[in-house]
């Protein structure tokens, strides 16, 4: 038996290992502790036994110690780098929207109005639609002042099942095709109708869900020809949640069929408009999202063919928790709602 000794300045102790380098022979003994291990000499091809000593707590950490911890650090660093690259990589090219043919719904006020103004500044050809013709005319006039080459409008009530097809056909006739279909309209319960009744539910589903499906189905052939983009402005409303399932399934179907049409789902907070703020006064604590900033986020997402846009960013967290952790999701929602007032409504 021999002992691995530290002597002559040639021995070193590192982490959980002892090493001894004497003459031409080199010995390594890892994982210090009581016991023994057979090690072959590289010169004599003989097997010798080294007796391991316990390593004191004051030993110098070995650079190779803790490989699992190192791998975890590297993995977390890599994931963090990918996260920041995903969210900070901005390949938005404003010139790509010059001359683009855009059909925009809900364009008379709020985020829809700001979307129209941004597209006009970028030189896009526009067809705008909303329920109120007087408001549409005002927006069309402003878009022309901002430099839009072509601007058309058609007043339509999306509560009518015939309206979506007529709107898309009007846009195809005026623009000769579509590069972007931006679905932004939203409807609340009509005046004189009680909430949560079958009549109100049917009306809400027609305006906030079925009309989206109809517009998409009618415009999809033109978007397929132009390899265009479908931009859907959603929210945390119940009827709008149905849009996530429908357009998520449509995205997978288009991928399977190798159809090059991008679908961008945009989840926005409370609209920055007086009517929206008044409708939820005392019900929600959420601050209104600035219309111009939210609209620009939507346009960037559609132009870069992003899968999702969340404004403000915390709505991304809510959507992630929606399926994974239902209880924390409910907690987050309660932080934004005055639950007593919401129940009373």
């Amino acid at each position: 038996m021999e002992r691995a000794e530290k002597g002559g300045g040639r021995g070193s102790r590192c982490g959980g290992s002892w090493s001894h380098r004497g003459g031409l022979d080199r010995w390594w003994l890892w994982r210090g502790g009581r016991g023994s291990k057979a090690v072959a000499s590289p010169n004599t091809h003989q097997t010798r036994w080294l007796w391991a000593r316990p390593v004191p707590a004051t030993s110098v950490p070995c650079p190779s110690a803790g490989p699992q911890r190192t791998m975890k650090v590297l993995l977390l660093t890599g994931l963090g780098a990918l996260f920041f690259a995903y969210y900070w990589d901005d390949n938005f090219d404003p010139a790509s929207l010059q001359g683009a043919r855009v059909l925009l719904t809900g364009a008379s006020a709020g985020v829809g109005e700001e979307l129209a103004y941004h597209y006009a500044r970028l030189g896009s050809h526009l067809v705008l639609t909303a329920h109120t013709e007087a408001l549409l005319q005002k927006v069309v006039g402003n878009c022309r002042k901002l430099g839009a080459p072509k601007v058309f409008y058609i007043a339509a009530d999306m509560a009518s099942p015939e309206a979506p097809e007529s709107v898309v056909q009007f846009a195809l006739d005026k623009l000769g095709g579509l590069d972007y279909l931006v679905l932004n309209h939203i409807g609340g319960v009509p005046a004189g109708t009680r909430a949560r009744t079958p009549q109100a539910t049917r009306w809400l589903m027609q305006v906030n869900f079925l009309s989206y499906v109809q517009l998409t189905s009618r415009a999809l052939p033109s978007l397929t020809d132009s390899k265009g983009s479908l931009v859907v402005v959603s929210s945390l409303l119940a009827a709008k949640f149905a849009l996530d399932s429908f357009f998520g399934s449509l995205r997978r179907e288009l991928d399977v069929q190798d159809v090059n049409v991008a679908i961008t789902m945009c989840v926005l907070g409370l609209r920055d408009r007086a009517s929206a703020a008044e409708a939820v006064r005392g019900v929600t604590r959420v601050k209104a999202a600035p219309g111009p900033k939210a609209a620009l986020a939507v346009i960037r997402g559609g132009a870069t063919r992003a899968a999702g846009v969340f404004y403000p960013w915390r709505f991304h967290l809510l959507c992630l928790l929606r399926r994974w952790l239902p209880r924390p999701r409910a907690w987050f929602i309660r932080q934004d709602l005055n639950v007593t007032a919401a129940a009373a409504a």
Side-chain angles (χ1 to χ4, degrees):
M1 289 287 185
E2 296 184 6
R3 282 185 182 270
E5 298 288 350
K6 177 181 177 182
R10 295 178 296 179
S12 64
R13 187 169 55 199
C14 180
S17 63
W18 281 85
S19 65
H20 173 70
R21 299 177 181 178
L24 298 177
D25 293 344
R26 294 182 179 182
W27 310 99
W28 290 271
L29 181 60
W30 301 98
R31 302 181 64 82
R34 297 187 181 277
S36 61
K37 183 175 181 179
V39 182
S41 169
N43 295 325
T44 61
H45 302 287
Q46 296 177 353
T47 301
R48 299 184 179 183
W49 288 87
L50 298 181
W51 189 262
R53 292 181 178 179
V55 178
T58 58
S59 61
V60 179
C62 180
S64 60
Q68 293 182 351
R69 181 182 301 176
T70 303
M71 290 300 297
K72 289 180 180 179
V73 172
L74 292 176
L75 179 60
L76 292 175
T77 303
L79 290 176
L82 288 174
F83 178 84
F84 283 105
Y86 176 81
Y87 282 99
W88 289 94
D89 183 23
D90 187 4
N91 57 350
F92 172 59
D93 181 14
S96 65
L97 292 171
Q98 187 171 2
R101 300 164 296 178
V102 181
L103 170 57
L104 171 62
T105 68
S108 62
V111 174
E113 181 180 0
E114 297 297 336
L115 284 169
Y117 295 156
H118 280 306
Y119 279 121
R121 294 187 187 97
L122 294 169
S124 301
H125 304 295
L126 298 172
V127 169
L128 309 179
T129 183
H131 182 268
T132 307
E133 184 172 0
L135 294 177
L136 273 176
Q137 291 175 344
K138 181 198 73 172
V139 175
V140 167
N142 291 335
C143 287
R144 288 173 178 160
K145 293 177 183 178
L146 292 171
K150 295 180 181 179
V151 187
F152 306 95
Y153 75 91
I154 175 174
D157 183 2
M158 292 300 169
S160 171
E162 294 78 21
E165 183 172 355
S166 62
V167 167
V168 175
Q169 188 60 51
F170 177 84
L172 295 176
D173 294 339
K174 294 297 183 180
L175 302 180
L178 288 175
D179 299 304
Y180 289 89
L181 173 61
V182 184
L183 302 176
N184 172 70
H185 60 279
I186 185 173
V189 178
T193 304
R194 294 183 59 187
R196 294 188 290 272
T197 62
Q199 180 183 359
T201 302
R202 283 193 295 268
W203 193 93
L204 289 173
M205 291 301 293
Q206 172 59 41
V207 174
N208 297 329
F209 176 67
L210 294 178
S211 64
Y212 279 63
V213 176
Q214 293 173 294
L215 288 162
T216 300
S217 301
R218 184 67 182 85
L220 193 56
S222 179
L223 293 174
T224 301
D225 294 338
S226 64
K227 298 180 180 179
S229 295
L230 177 61
V231 182
V232 183
V233 180
S234 183
S235 68
L236 297 179
L237 295 177
K240 291 283 191 172
F241 267 133
L243 297 175
D244 291 344
S245 298
F246 172 77
F247 285 103
S249 299
L250 179 60
R251 181 187 286 122
R252 289 189 289 271
E253 181 179 337
L254 296 178
D255 290 340
V256 169
Q257 297 176 356
D258 197 23
V259 177
N260 190 9
V261 174
I263 298 179
T264 300
M265 298 296 300
C266 307
V267 179
L268 306 182
L270 179 63
R271 309 301 178 87
D272 187 14
R273 51 187 293 189
S275 60
E278 185 63 30
V280 296
R281 183 182 301 276
V283 176
T284 180
R285 303 184 182 97
V286 178
K287 294 183 179 180
K293 292 183 179 180
L296 185 58
V298 171
I299 289 178
R300 285 176 176 268
T304 57
R305 305 173 78 85
V309 172
F310 301 88
Y311 192 91
W313 66 268
R314 64 190 181 84
F315 282 103
H316 194 183
L317 179 61
L318 273 178
C319 291
L320 291 176
L321 293 175
R322 184 176 61 191
R323 293 181 180 177
W324 299 346
L325 303 171
R327 290 187 179 180
R329 175 190 67 188
W331 183 87
F332 275 106
I333 292 176
R334 286 190 177 93
Q335 302 314 299
D336 292 335
L337 290 179
N338 182 337
V339 178
T340 304

